[in-house]
Amino acid sequence: MPGKVADFLRATELDDGERAALDQGVTVRRGQGYTLRVTVVPAVQHRLLVRCQPLDGGPGAPAVPAQRKARREYENRVSTLTPSP
């Protein structure tokens, strides 16, 4: 998952399984940012994806283009795993 998504998720309320997945992820430097490699079942990946929906912006929440792009990239990666539950 892109670093912007990981940073956002670390600052939100997560259940124990989701938090453990982030804590056990491996950080890989990518240019100016980083990617967090997380190895969990697809269902947890889909839950994490749902939790990062605010990165797209919405009523009362401004959208930052870089955050929207990071979330979109993560969505594309998760969608290739398996169909959503």
Side-chain angles (χ1 to χ4, degrees):
M1 84 179 45
K4 289 189 182 298
V5 173
D7 293 341
F8 175 80
L9 289 172
R10 283 190 176 113
T12 61
E13 286 285 324
L14 300 174
D15 67 26
D16 293 337
E18 295 165 342
R19 179 71 55 198
L22 287 179
D23 292 343
Q24 294 172 0
V26 176
T27 301
V28 179
R29 297 295 303 169
R30 299 279 183 189
Q32 293 179 351
Y34 71 97
T35 298
L36 185 68
R37 300 226 172 163
V38 180
T39 305
V40 292
V41 295
V44 174
Q45 293 279 11
H46 287 287
R47 286 198 314 258
L48 290 171
L49 180 61
V50 169
R51 290 191 188 270
C52 67
Q53 284 289 74
L55 292 176
D56 281 339
V64 177
Q67 291 176 336
R68 273 199 328 252
K69 180 181 178 188
R71 193 204 155 283
R72 201 171 50 246
E73 287 177 359
Y74 182 47
E75 182 177 27
N76 291 339
R77 292 176 193 168
V78 170
S79 67
T80 63
L81 298 174
T82 58
S84 61

